[in-house]
Amino acid sequence: MSLLPHGHRRPAVGFILVTLVIDALGFGLVVPIVPSLVLEMSGLTASGAALWVGTLLTAFSVMQFVCAPILGGLSDRFGRRPVILLSLAGVGMNYAMLAWAPSLIWLFLGRMIAGATAANAATASAYIADVTPPQLRASRFGLIGATFGLGFVLGPAVGGLLGTYGLRVPFMAAAALTACNVLYGLLVLPESLPPERRRAFEWRRANPLGSLKVLTSSPNLGRLAIAWGCTWFAMGALQTTFVLANQLRFNWDTQQNGLALALAGLGSAVVQGLLVRRIIPRFGELRSALIGSSLTVVSYLLIAFAPFGWVVLLGIVIQAGGAITNPAVQGLVSAAVPADRQGETQGALSSIQGLVAIVSPLVASSVFAHFTGPYALILLPGAPFVVSALAYCVSLWAVSGVRPAPALVRAEA
């Protein structure tokens, strides 16, 4: 049981954010390592290994797509705390398997376990919505993004450093961090959803396709769902081919890629932790989402066509400004649904995230393999980031047609 009383709401936000920092730190440790590990275990070229990395990410995303709405519905029924702890336990098991895995098959199994329990962000978002008034949710959702960014500041840098001592060492460190995170949650994380606000679990809403109905119940939610999916589709290129592309065109090693990813995390943490709470109240959630998407289009194009490494870093800096997009979109979605549907809705967003993440790594790795393979018409390792820029153009179109709910307009006024 939690050591804090159920009604002690104010520090609960701090507890959940610290939990996510530790979780993101563990995840960030392994981001620059997985491509190198696949290269070592498979003996393939960079273009061939990219397909394997994309398939690993797809295995994770398939399980996330299937299981996220189930966990979201369970959090509406039994509370956020047990689901968060279950998710963390699955993540820790995944890292332990990555540290031990003797073959690519075991890597797949570990990623599937992690995907099945990947409810951290969705349930944390529902937790934040439970204890935050609607007009403040966008800035609080920005804090969630900032915590992940903070984890990525240290995670990739430390992961790249530890990777020089052995590709399995970062996984061991991530498993240990996650175990500490689970212990922390068991001791101090309070429940946020009181029994009177819970609802019965329904399988028809928990299946991944059924859960998406909540996001098609109005034109606004439908457009916001498209925008949300596009942003995560674009992320597939960064996760799948960023390291391999920089190795190929700039000869960056694990440590250099880790530091570049750390810069991306630092920028995201600064923008979402410090600037979102100022930008969104000033410009509104809709305009903030449009500004953020526009900046991200520019950043992905810079990364795609970068002739020198410093241009990639410039793209990462500009991309940090685009980090205001997701909190703004998430705030609009949260304001459009009642309190007893927050877990279901955030689970549906995770399902969209998982659905597009099934496709995006395969698309990014295939595009990378096509433009770097022996039969490529032109050598363009950054081609997947052109696809990401196009995805954000679709997000711009979707958000531009959204009309804010009257209740949110009154709250902002």
Side-chain angles (χ1 to χ4, degrees):
M1 292 182 61
S2 170
L3 297 179
L4 295 178
H6 173 75
H8 197 177
R9 295 296 179 82
R10 182 172 293 275
V13 174
F15 293 151
I16 199 71
L17 293 178
V18 170
T19 299
L20 288 173
V21 167
I22 299 173
D23 187 42
L25 178 61
F27 182 78
L29 278 171
V30 304
V31 168
I33 305 301
V34 170
S36 299
L37 182 62
V38 171
L39 281 170
E40 179 184 274
M41 296 180 70
S42 65
L44 297 172
T45 62
S47 58
L51 295 175
W52 281 101
V53 174
T55 307
L56 280 172
L57 291 172
T58 296
F60 175 93
S61 301
V62 168
M63 295 303 295
Q64 183 184 34
F65 172 67
V66 172
C67 297
I70 297 175
L71 294 176
L74 289 174
S75 77
D76 282 338
R77 172 64 182 88
F78 298 105
R80 318 301 185 200
R81 183 175 180 271
V83 174
I84 290 173
L85 295 178
L86 173 65
S87 174
L88 292 175
V91 170
M93 186 180 299
N94 162 63
Y95 292 141
M97 293 186 69
L98 290 176
W100 167 82
S103 66
L104 288 175
I105 297 300
W106 285 99
L107 290 184
F108 278 113
L109 182 58
R111 296 310 293 161
M112 291 177 72
I113 292 173
T117 55
N120 295 47
T123 310
S125 298
Y127 194 112
I128 294 296
D130 291 339
V131 297
T132 306
Q135 66 270 24
L136 298 179
R137 285 177 185 164
S139 61
R140 286 282 176 85
F141 290 145
L143 288 177
I144 292 178
T147 60
F148 278 104
L150 182 59
F152 279 118
V153 172
L154 296 177
V158 175
L161 179 61
L162 292 177
T164 61
Y165 298 99
L167 292 178
R168 309 289 181 137
V169 175
F171 302 137
M172 299 175 189
L177 278 172
T178 306
C180 294
N181 203 4
V182 173
L183 180 62
Y184 176 82
L186 283 171
L187 293 176
V188 301
L189 183 65
E191 179 55 60
S192 66
L193 187 66
E196 63 272 15
R197 289 173 56 187
R198 299 178 189 181
R199 65 179 181 87
F201 179 81
E202 301 176 43
W203 278 108
R204 65 183 181 86
R205 292 183 177 273
N207 75 79
L209 296 179
S211 72
L212 298 180
K213 292 181 180 179
V214 69
L215 297 177
T216 59
S217 58
S218 72
N220 272 355
L221 283 175
R223 283 182 168 271
L224 291 169
I226 291 172
W228 183 261
C230 287
T231 60
W232 287 102
F233 180 90
M235 184 64 67
L238 198 67
Q239 294 176 325
T240 309
T241 63
F242 182 82
V243 171
L244 295 172
N246 292 332
Q247 286 178 345
L248 187 61
R249 55 185 174 174
F250 306 126
N251 200 30
W252 282 6
D253 58 20
T254 300
Q255 187 172 358
Q256 288 170 311
N257 276 308
L259 291 174
L261 290 169
L263 176 63
L266 176 62
S268 176
V270 169
V271 171
Q272 297 196 61
L274 300 178
L275 301 183
V276 160
R277 68 184 68 180
R278 295 174 173 83
I279 293 174
I280 291 181
R282 179 175 180 179
F283 294 101
E285 291 174 334
L286 282 174
R287 192 177 297 176
S288 296
L290 292 171
I291 293 171
S293 295
S294 301
L295 289 173
T296 309
V297 170
V298 174
S299 71
Y300 275 125
L301 290 177
L302 285 173
I303 295 173
F305 297 106
F308 307 103
W310 66 266
V311 180
V312 172
L313 301 181
L314 176 61
I316 288 174
V317 171
I318 295 176
Q319 187 183 34
I324 64 175
T325 304
N326 277 2
V329 170
Q330 214 170 358
L332 288 168
V333 171
S334 179
V337 295
D340 64 349
R341 300 291 183 186
Q342 292 294 332
E344 178 187 20
T345 305
Q346 298 299 333
L349 289 179
S350 286
S351 287
I352 291 178
Q353 180 179 335
L355 182 61
V356 299
I358 293 170
V359 180
S360 62
L362 295 178
V363 172
S365 58
S366 297
V367 171
F368 179 84
H370 177 76
F371 282 93
T372 60
Y375 301 105
L377 294 178
I378 59 171
L379 180 64
L380 185 60
F385 300 103
V386 177
V387 178
S388 295
L390 292 175
Y392 262 91
C393 289
V394 176
S395 176
L396 276 169
W397 165 82
V399 174
S400 65
V402 171
R403 297 295 177 265
L408 183 61
V409 173
R410 289 195 298 271
E412 289 183 343

